[in-house]
């Protein structure tokens, strides 16, 4: 039986791709998609950023409308005043990220990890936040008209002066949440846990499941 020389054999083997391409950071419209990158005002509209490491990135004022951010890591990222209308952030991690004044209208944020995030004055109208983990999050002054927060964990979350008209908090964990001076008109809190939650001066007109014995 004859054997091919080793050199000849190696040259006949199929060439496999190296890891070089995988290690090269994704660049979109001049923005390098990697942790700690500086991309304020970047145009990332409709970009596929799923599973990307965006921790500590500066994306303030960026256009992320319709972007795919599923499973993305955005811990400590700066998204202040960013546009995220219709974006998909399912199971993304946003722990302690800065979302102040950002616009998440119609966005999907199902089951996000949002411990301690800062979203004062942010827009979440018609957004899907069902199953979101938002313990210790700051949502004071945020607008959540008709937002879906079913089974979300909002323990110790600040929602003072938030506009929660028509929001669905059914089966949510609202223990020790701060609803002072918030608007809960037509909201649904049925089945929610409200132990030690604060509803001081909240508007509860037409609210389902709101505490009827709370003294304004």
């Amino acid at each position: 039986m004859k054997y091919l020389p080793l050199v000849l054999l190696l040259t006949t083997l199929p060439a496999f791709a190296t890891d070089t391409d995988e290690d090269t950071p994704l660049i979109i419209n001049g923005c390098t998609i990697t942790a700690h990158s500086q991309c304020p005002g970047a145009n990332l509209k409709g970009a596929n950023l799923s599973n990307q490491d965006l921790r500590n990135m500066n994306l303030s004022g960026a256009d992320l409308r319709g972007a795919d951010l599923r499973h993305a890591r955005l811990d400590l990222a700066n998204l202040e005043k960013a546009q995220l209308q219709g974006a998909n952030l399912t199971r993304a991690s946003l722990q302690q990220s800065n979302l102040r004044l950002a616009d998440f209208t119609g966005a999907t944020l199902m089951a996000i990890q949002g411990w301690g995030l800062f979203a004062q004055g942010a827009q979440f109208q018609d957004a899907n936040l069902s199953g979101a983990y938002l313990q210790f999050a700051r949502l004071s002054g945020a607008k959540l008209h008709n937002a879906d927060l079913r089974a979300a964990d909002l323990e110790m979350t600040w929602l003072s002066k938030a506009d929660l008209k028509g929001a669905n908090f059914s089966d949510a964990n609202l223990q020790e949440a701060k609803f002072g001076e918030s608007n809960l008109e037509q909201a649904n809190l049925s089945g929610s846990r409200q132990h030690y939650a604060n509803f001081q001066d909240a508007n509860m007109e037409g609210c389902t499941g709101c505490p009827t014995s709370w003294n304004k």
Side-chain angles (χ1 to χ4, degrees), residues 1-195:
M1 184 176 181
K2 295 182 179 180
Y3 295 91
L4 292 173
L6 180 59
V7 175
L8 180 59
L9 179 62
L10 290 175
T11 58
T12 61
L13 292 175
F16 293 96
T18 64
D19 294 333
T20 304
D21 292 339
E22 295 180 4
D23 294 337
T24 302
L26 179 65
I27 299 176
I28 302 176
N29 291 330
C31 175
T32 302
I33 308 301
T34 187
H36 300 277
S37 187
Q38 295 294 314
C39 297
N43 179 10
L44 300 170
K45 184 178 179 181
N48 182 0
L49 302 170
S50 59
N51 298 299
Q52 292 289 334
D53 185 356
L54 312 177
R55 290 174 297 171
N56 291 281
M57 274 191 73
N58 181 4
L59 291 163
S60 58
D63 186 352
L64 288 151
R65 289 176 292 171
D68 184 353
L69 288 151
R70 290 173 298 167
H71 300 275
R73 301 177 68 184
L74 287 150
D75 303 324
L76 296 168
N78 182 4
L79 289 158
E80 185 166 350
K81 297 182 180 180
Q83 303 298 307
L84 292 117
Q85 298 95 316
N88 190 346
L89 293 98
T90 299
R91 296 190 179 279
S93 185
L94 293 146
Q95 298 185 89
Q96 294 185 285
S97 57
N98 176 12
L99 312 179
R100 293 179 180 93
L101 302 175
D103 194 339
F104 290 90
T105 300
T108 301
L109 300 103
M110 293 175 60
I112 63 168
Q113 290 292 319
W115 184 91
L117 61 75
F118 301 87
Q120 294 94 326
Q123 309 283 320
F124 292 96
Q125 298 97 305
D126 301 306
N128 186 349
L129 290 133
S130 57
Y133 184 83
L134 295 165
Q135 284 195 11
F136 293 93
R138 277 77 161 174
L139 289 156
S140 301
K143 191 171 185 178
L144 293 102
H145 278 192
N146 302 313
D148 185 353
L149 290 132
R150 289 173 297 167
D153 191 341
L154 294 117
E155 187 168 339
M156 289 294 294
T157 298
W158 278 264
L159 288 154
S160 53
K161 298 183 179 180
D163 193 343
L164 309 166
K165 183 177 180 179
N168 188 352
F169 290 94
S170 59
D171 300 316
N173 178 14
L174 306 178
Q175 295 183 103
E176 299 187 68
K178 311 296 188 289
F179 288 96
E181 299 183 68
S182 65
N183 179 22
L184 285 159
E185 182 182 353
Q186 303 298 325
N188 181 6
L189 277 69
S190 59
S192 63
R193 284 167 284 169
Q194 302 172 14
H195 196 54

